[in-house]
Amino acid sequence: MSQPLQGRLALVTGSGRGIGNAIALKLASQGADIIVNFFRRRDAAEKTARDIEAMGVKAQVIKANVGDPAKIDEIFDTIGNDWGHLDILINNAASGVGRSVMDLDVKAWDWTMDINAKAVLLCSQRASKLMEGRGGKIVSISSLGSSFVLPTYAIVGVSKAALEALTRYLAIELAPKGICVNAVAGSAVETEALKFYIKEGLIKDTRQATPAGRMVTPEDVANTVAFLCSEEAFMIRGQTIIVDGGTSVAPFATPE
Amino acid sequence: MSVEEQIREIVAKIVHVDKSLITREGTFKDIKADSLDIVQAMVAVEDTFDIEIPDEEAQKFQNFGDFVDFVERCLAAKERA
Ligand SMILES: NC(=O)c1ccc[n+]([C@@H]2O[C@H](COP(=O)([O-])OP(=O)(O)OC[C@H]3O[C@@H](n4cnc5c(N)ncnc54)[C@H](OP(=O)(O)O)[C@@H]3O)[C@@H](O)[C@H]2O)c1
């Protein structure tokens, strides 16, 4: 049986581990070849690539700090030379500095905004050129921190708000090129990043507080991303789909 | 300038400390570098010398001297290649 993404090429930024890893594996399971991008953890990225290849599709590992515009150019020059096109871009890589607003400085601001927001712009610009004439999908990963206040999450929240606004502008401006642009926002998702926040006591273990009865997993986010990359989602443009098990619409809910 | 001196300059600039405070036996903690300083220092050294310092290696560094030794080994390996 032919798979929905067979013959498509997807770049997933920050896909060695966490949510990016789940997205890369999900798209690969639907037949897409995957560019696995990483920043510091080559071992994790290479493991992801091996897992992808085991599904019978191709994987290419590219190390690049997406916070550095010159490195973004290197990623897309490589894809242009090696593949000549791109069908799907997932802006997943993110970093941040856990501080309250009053403790933020220029360095923390620039670091976080460069990786979480500026990279979304630059990657989308370069990706759209490789999608020219064939259309494509761009999905960026956001979080509830774009609209809600979480302790020490200020700069990441602000960067995600920029990402969501950019998603709307990109969706409209790239629509004539047949490129669908959307975002997926998760609440607390079970990953290394989250374990850090819980360990530091910065957020509560939200397991019991989620109306859906369990925490959001990387696979829950990946499933929504895969849907947005499918033709069934063609008419969804510029939206941020929230995957949170109901948490954000039931702020006053108390566990049974 | 030696490799060690170049790395010392990079780290001093990122952490905003005087170069003389960065000794081979000293650690990032000694110069009050936070996690962002450390990752920025790694990235700057990688870019300067065109080498790769994987996280799993960086985590093994006990002090500045280990960091310098690792970079020197990478450069030697690059020269041989
Ligand atoms: N976990 C949550 O609760 C949660 C909730 C909502 C939204 N999100 C969002 O979901 C996405 C993934 O989060 P996660 O929890 O999976 O994070 P994670 O476990 O901390 O992983 C972060 C990933 O991003 C990569 N990365 C970081 N800085 C990078 C850079 N400068 N250039 C390229 N790659 C970089 C990392 O690469 P290395 O492996 O090489 O370090 C890693 O693959 C992020 O956009 C995050 O904001 C997470």
Side-chain angles (χ1 to χ4, degrees):
Chain A
M1 200 179 79
S2 108
Q3 291 176 303
L5 299 179
Q6 197 161 357
R8 305 279 166 82
L9 178 64
L11 162 63
V12 185
T13 65
S15 46
R17 55 203 173 90
I19 295 170
N21 167 272
I23 295 170
L25 296 180
K26 178 74 190 180
L27 299 180
S29 77
Q30 299 198 340
D33 297 319
I34 310 286
I35 310 286
V36 178
N37 157 249
F38 77 101
F39 178 33
R40 310 293 321 150
R41 298 268 299 268
R42 178 177 284 280
D43 55 343
E46 287 186 342
K47 161 99 176 49
T48 304
R50 283 195 301 275
D51 292 345
I52 288 167
E53 283 166 348
M55 293 185 212
V57 291
K58 295 191 196 108
Q60 181 178 8
V61 175
I62 301 183
K63 173 179 162 65
N65 168 16
V66 298
D68 180 344
K71 296 287 184 322
I72 291 181
D73 280 336
E74 282 176 23
I75 301 178
F76 287 94
D77 289 348
T78 303
I79 298 175
N81 288 334
D82 294 358
W83 303 80
H85 68 274
L86 184 69
D87 300 289
I88 297 169
L89 164 67
I90 311 296
N91 291 304
N92 165 80
S95 187
V97 181
R99 291 192 202 154
S100 59
V101 187
M102 295 308 289
D103 291 331
L104 288 174
D105 54 18
V106 171
K107 193 162 147 178
W109 175 277
D110 287 346
W111 176 259
T112 311
M113 293 301 275
D114 284 354
I115 296 170
N116 300 7
K118 194 199 278 175
V120 174
L121 170 68
L122 300 179
C123 287
S124 302
Q125 287 175 333
R126 288 290 311 257
S128 69
K129 302 246 162 62
L130 288 173
M131 293 172 181
E132 207 97 50
R134 54 195 289 130
K137 317 283 178 193
I138 298 176
V139 182
S140 304
I141 308 304
S142 189
S143 78
L144 286 187
S146 64
S147 327
F148 298 94
V149 173
L150 310 172
T152 76
Y153 198 78
I155 183 59
V156 182
V158 169
S159 71
K160 295 299 188 185
L163 174 154
E164 290 179 16
L166 195 52
T167 295
R168 291 186 279 273
Y169 281 95
L170 285 168
I172 300 315
E173 294 190 18
L174 294 180
K177 292 178 189 287
I179 300 173
C180 301
V181 186
N182 289 291
V184 175
S187 55
V189 184
E190 276 186 297
T191 61
E192 264 178 56
L194 186 82
K195 279 185 210 138
F196 170 80
Y197 276 96
I198 293 179
K199 195 175 111 234
E200 299 288 305
L202 298 171
I203 55 174
K204 286 203 195 75
D205 193 332
T206 50
R207 223 159 311 197
Q208 293 87 14
T210 306
R214 64 164 174 82
M215 282 191 73
V216 178
T217 64
E219 289 71 30
D220 292 321
V221 177
N223 289 340
T224 307
V225 170
F227 171 65
L228 290 172
C229 292
S230 74
E231 287 316 303
E232 281 93 339
F234 185 78
M235 291 306 280
I236 303 176
R237 304 291 175 107
Q239 301 300 313
T240 297
I241 310 294
I242 294 175
V243 180
D244 70 349
T247 307
S248 61
V249 290
F252 306 115
T254 44
E256 288 290 300
Chain B
M1 209 193 310
S2 69
V3 168
E4 177 167 334
E5 206 42 35
Q6 286 183 71
I7 300 176
R8 188 170 278 117
E9 278 205 350
I10 292 169
V11 174
K13 207 166 146 206
I14 288 171
V15 187
H16 295 295
V17 292
D18 194 89
K19 275 194 308 187
S20 63
L21 294 173
I22 304 172
T23 63
R24 280 192 69 89
E25 297 70 37
T27 65
F28 276 115
K29 209 168 154 200
D30 294 337
I31 52 170
K32 301 199 168 50
D34 63 18
S35 58
L36 179 52
D37 292 327
I38 297 171
V39 70
Q40 286 190 333
M42 295 295 156
V43 171
V45 168
E46 284 188 339
D47 288 351
T48 303
F49 296 102
D50 192 22
I51 54 165
E52 184 176 328
I53 310 167
D55 234 24
E56 48 281 17
E57 289 300 327
Q59 277 162 12
K60 292 184 205 150
F61 302 160
Q62 300 283 340
N63 52 33
F64 180 71
D66 287 351
F67 182 14
V68 172
D69 292 345
F70 180 83
V71 173
E72 282 176 339
R73 278 201 303 278
C74 288
L75 292 173
K78 227 171 84 172
E79 201 130 285
R80 280 197 302 273

